[in-house]
Amino acid sequence: MQLKQVIIAYKARDSQSKRWAEICAKQLESRDCQVLMGPSGPKDNPYPVFLASAGQPIDLAIVLGGDGTVLTSARHLAPVGIPILGVNVGGHLGFLTESVEEFQDTEQVWDRLFEDRYAVQRRMMLQATVFEGHRTNLEPVSERYLGLNEFCVKPASADRMITSILEMEIDGEVVDQYVGDGLIVSTPTGSTGYTVSANGPIMHDGMEAITITPICPMSLSSRPLVLPAGSVVSIWPLGDYDLSTKLWMDGVLATSIWPGHRVDIRMADCLAKFIVLRENNSYYQTLREKLLWAGTRVRYTDNHKN
């Protein structure tokens, strides 16, 4: 990999990730690499400035923070094909990031990147667009939104808990009406996020598929669905007299929707690219470590395997 121009995004208002960013920038600049650096957070979005300021193609994005910081970077960088090296500095679970232990010797990391001693993992994303009126109306009334984890249609209110009524179509065919807290439409990457908290299935992040998971439905027959990646999921809000229904992308508000609107969610035409430094990278090891599986609470000998 050539490292002629690199962007570094660190978790806003986190002193540890900022310190790491400054160390990385200094080391890369000493290797004749141009660096663009800035904070990323709910009130800080450096990516439009990064992309507009780049005088040459950006070779790599180093993202220092937790999963939320990495999700933001993927939504902005996947459409332009910039690979992301995420490092869990100041984050929590860190499903999408390299551990900070893998990143301790940063000079060695740069050597490995220069010498192409790394892997690139490509992950499916979703895109959502809002339409108005009948299905024959193909003119969107919103921009295109991208999500690496999931899209969620659910109401939001400052003073009460609102039950939503949502009608869902798959490839133009009505499947069900859901009464409850909302619907999650997820990628395999997002299956270990909000989806798993709502009792949705866990899917290997190397797959291409779409999961639909109801949030606290008022019907015991409302179950999660796993769809082929080429499916188009359409969601219509019904009976929303308070006009409180929102479309959320990766936990961030995308836009408000109301009766008469239709949200179409499908596989995006771009993939998020992640740099993997771990030599023995294992999805199942990640599940064991992050979800505390496989004997983390009960210790026993494995003589039965001999």
Side-chain angles (χ1 to χ4, degrees):
M1 174 186 290
Q2 290 184 334
L3 294 180
K4 294 183 178 180
Q5 179 139 310
V6 170
I7 61 178
I8 301 177
Y10 59 88
K11 186 177 180 180
R13 291 171 290 282
D14 183 84
S15 58
Q16 185 184 13
S17 59
K18 183 178 181 181
R19 180 176 61 85
W20 273 101
E22 291 169 346
I23 292 172
C24 294
K26 185 177 180 180
Q27 292 177 350
L28 287 169
E29 287 170 347
S30 70
R31 295 174 179 243
D32 298 323
C33 175
Q34 293 184 356
V35 176
L36 299 172
M37 185 175 75
S40 175
K43 297 181 180 180
D44 301 278
N45 181 8
Y47 296 102
V49 176
F50 284 160
L51 297 175
S53 303
Q56 57 184 319
I58 298 171
D59 300 303
L60 176 69
I62 301 168
V63 181
L64 305 167
D67 286 339
T69 312
V70 174
L71 288 169
T72 301
S73 70
R75 291 196 299 272
H76 288 89
L77 301 180
V80 290
I82 298 173
I84 299 166
L85 173 56
V87 184
N88 190 15
V89 181
H92 299 291
L93 280 177
F95 266 99
L96 298 173
T97 55
E98 298 283 329
S99 69
V100 72
E101 287 77 17
E102 292 279 348
F103 203 68
Q104 287 292 334
D105 189 347
T106 48
E107 292 287 6
Q108 186 182 58
V109 171
W110 314 139
D111 290 339
R112 288 183 59 182
L113 293 175
F114 276 114
E115 297 166 6
D116 292 335
R117 291 189 289 118
Y118 59 89
V120 178
Q121 188 178 61
R122 293 170 173 82
R123 298 196 183 206
M124 165 189 165
M125 298 186 73
L126 293 174
Q127 64 183 47
T129 312
V130 180
F131 297 86
E132 192 170 34
H134 194 268
R135 178 171 289 282
T136 56
N137 184 357
L138 301 179
E139 288 296 322
V141 295
S142 75
E143 61 181 283
R144 181 187 73 155
Y145 303 102
L146 287 174
L148 175 59
N149 262 5
E150 77 279 311
F151 282 98
C152 180
V153 177
K154 62 182 292 188
S157 174
D159 55 0
R160 67 192 185 94
M161 297 173 63
I162 299 176
T163 298
S164 63
I165 305 174
L166 303 173
E167 184 170 275
M168 183 188 69
E169 298 178 0
I170 299 174
D171 297 332
E173 180 179 350
V174 175
V175 175
D176 201 356
Q177 288 185 357
Y178 297 91
V179 179
D181 288 354
L183 279 176
I184 304 169
V185 183
S186 170
T187 66
T189 296
S191 70
T192 51
Y194 194 6
T195 294
V196 77
S197 299
N199 288 323
I202 293 177
M203 292 189 291
H204 194 288
D205 56 21
M207 294 177 60
E208 290 188 348
I210 298 173
T211 297
I212 301 170
T213 304
I215 308 171
C216 300
M218 291 185 173
S219 170
L220 294 178
S221 65
S222 295
R223 315 304 297 174
L225 291 172
V226 180
L227 309 176
S231 304
V232 178
V233 179
S234 301
I235 300 173
W236 304 75
L238 307 175
D240 182 13
Y241 305 111
D242 297 311
L243 303 180
S244 60
T245 306
K246 314 290 185 186
L247 174 66
W248 307 83
M249 54 181 181
D250 293 338
V252 177
L253 178 64
T255 188
S256 298
I257 56 176
W258 50 83
H261 278 173
R262 178 186 88 247
V263 181
D264 280 2
I265 304 172
R266 67 186 72 204
M267 185 170 73
D269 55 5
C270 57
L271 298 172
K273 296 194 292 187
F274 290 97
I275 300 295
V276 178
L277 296 176
R278 295 184 297 275
E279 294 184 1
N280 296 313
N281 184 46
S282 166
Y283 178 71
Y284 307 110
Q285 179 181 348
T286 301
L287 291 180
R288 290 196 305 269
E289 292 176 352
K290 305 301 181 181
L291 301 181
L292 304 179
W293 283 1
T296 53
R297 293 185 176 88
V298 179
R299 300 297 179 182
Y300 61 92
T301 61
D302 58 355
N303 293 332
H304 63 287
K305 295 181 180 178
N306 295 331

